[in-house]
Amino acid sequence: MFWTAIHKHPETYKKTPNLLDYSQTCAAFSWDTIRDELQGLPDGRGLNIAHEAIDRHAESRLRDHVALRWLGCDGAKRDFTYGELKALSNRFANILKGLGIGKGDTVFVLADRIPELYIAALGTLKNAGVFCPLFSAFGPEPVYQRLKRGDAKVLMTTGHQYRQKVSRIRDTLPKLKYVLLVDTQDHLENGLLSMPRLMAESSSLFSIPPTDPEDIAVLHFTSGTTGMPKGALHVHNAVLIHYMTGKYVMDFHPDDIFWCTADPGWVTGTSYGIIAPWVHGITNIVDEADFDAKRWCHILESQKVSVWYTAPTAIRRFMRLDFEPARSYDLHDLRVIHSVGEPLNPEGVVWGRKAMGLPIHDNWWQTETGGIMIANFPAMEIRPGSMGRPLPGIEAAIVRRTDKDTVEVVDEPDTQGDLALRPGWPSMFRGYLHDEARYRKCFVGGWYLTGDLAKRDADGYFWFVGRADDIIKTSGHMVGPFEVESTLMEHPAVAEAGVIGKPDPLIGEIVKAFVALKTGINPSEELRLEIIGFARKKLGAAVAPKEIDFQPNLPKNKAGKIMRRLLKARELGLPEGDLSTLEKTE
Ligand code: AMP
């Protein structure tokens, strides 16, 4: 570890953090206390995410507080108060009820980040249905796979998306009875209904039916390393984690303005782009447009964003531009920046401090966990390159398989193993849709195995090593691609790096790196040798890449993760597999 810890003392922090003493908070923690901070449905009728997120605030002094500030691609701005969102989501819930869509029925949404998406999510939850967002950049095949596997009965989408991706396959989806079109004024044939018309005709009053905390609320598809996408099922009780992490990790305070840049097609965009800020009664910014450095800085400044949740790819894109937002924009409202989704290289943390005026707090979780599990909390020392420490109430460990059904906990610090969580936290996924066997395989010896490899240091900070299937074995040494990538990124010419294991007859695999250079820097043999030498010096010859290829851009999926799988397939001349999630920047 080449980086020193970043201390952020509470007195230099703009507000007193909700979590000041990590050990004390963990020791005193109980889920019952968190549950007591929520309201529950009236008359003991259970726990419903939409009630906690919207209705209870709409019935309080927050009624006229802006819940959603929507920024359109074309410069439009629309505000929705808690009171308005309550009424609109009631209307949507009444539409579903009127169509005979009831408890447990899945409502799919295929749309860009438009206000209707958020209204549909809340209305579905109110109706005790299951909300399933689909990433709007998916092509027809992944859309079909998910609608089919998810037994879709209702889909809310736009006319364009419908024509492009659904109309031709509609006959193969006999269960899909209704398609609600957000941009059509009249009902059409074949169950194609006008959402504006139905909204206008529906009542704005709705009584949420009894909702058991264990009722399924959200379905999120996540890609497996092999096979079809897996549908992770989440329950209403997950709101305890959304609330708790909003409090302790995001550090929400009243009047915060929050912006999560993730799309709801991915779990971060639902848990933190919809639920967590609203459970805290704050203003949630939604930007319809995709990444644009200047636009994003302008949003941070003009919307006075105080808590920002983004991803390493965005941070790297900023870094690549060699541009320091804090010099050109007034970011004094910004109090804390968080990052998730892939490893945040230490460089990124340090860049944040220099260029944004704040270090970046990495946290870790995955679709299956439903919410943040490990974090660099605002008041704690950040260890750049580390994912942080487990949330209060979360038991995380490094384990090693001892045989098919058992594992042992690795107690020695800084030792690599499988990252595991003790099952039972409220937002743990309750199954993979139609795949009980695959679900059961995730649990071994009393632990949930995350599929990630990590280390834990002597102070309880967790360090990401790689996905279990990305790890490289070279001359008998385990090498984590993240570690190599982080080092390469320290080289001043390197913007991005992706590292794979390339089969080698002599030493098993050699470490091979693909590197994208910063704007204005040209590849050359001299530079290649220089970077190899730089990495060797930092990592030692056994770990440093033996080969480096320059590429103008590295392949990334839509969520911004570098697709090592694709780099590897291309390197080896193997089939590239499903490319529907590939970001078209290459
Ligand atoms: P997803 O289910 O698509 O959200 O992906 C979850 C996976 O992303 C995790 O299992 C990790 O492999 C990776 N991931 C998420 N957050 C981090 C992080 N902070 N550091 C490293 N890897 C991460």
Side-chain angles (χ1 to χ4, degrees), residues 221-223 266-268 312 339-344 362-368 374 386-387 450-452 464-467 482 557 559 561:
F221 282 96
T222 171
S223 300
W266 307 98
V267 71
T268 305
S339 163
V340 76
E342 52 175 323
L344 176 65
D362 189 16
N363 57 63
W364 177 95
W365 58 294
Q366 54 181 195
T367 303
E368 286 83 348
I374 296 176
S386 160
M387 307 184 286
T450 66
D452 281 357
F464 184 79
V465 173
R467 284 293 300 175
F482 173 55
N557 69 12
K561 287 182 195 167

Side-chain angles (χ1 to χ4, degrees), residues 3 115 127 175 245 262 301 318 351 366 439 449 495:
W3 299 87
N127 192 45
K175 291 187 185 157
T245 52
E301 179 184 66
F318 274 112
W351 173 87
Q366 54 181 195
Y439 182 65
L449 301 186

Side-chain angles (χ1 to χ4, degrees), residues 512-523:
K512 166 139 198 177
F514 297 85
V515 159
L517 296 172
K518 285 195 179 142
T519 317
I521 298 178
N522 294 321

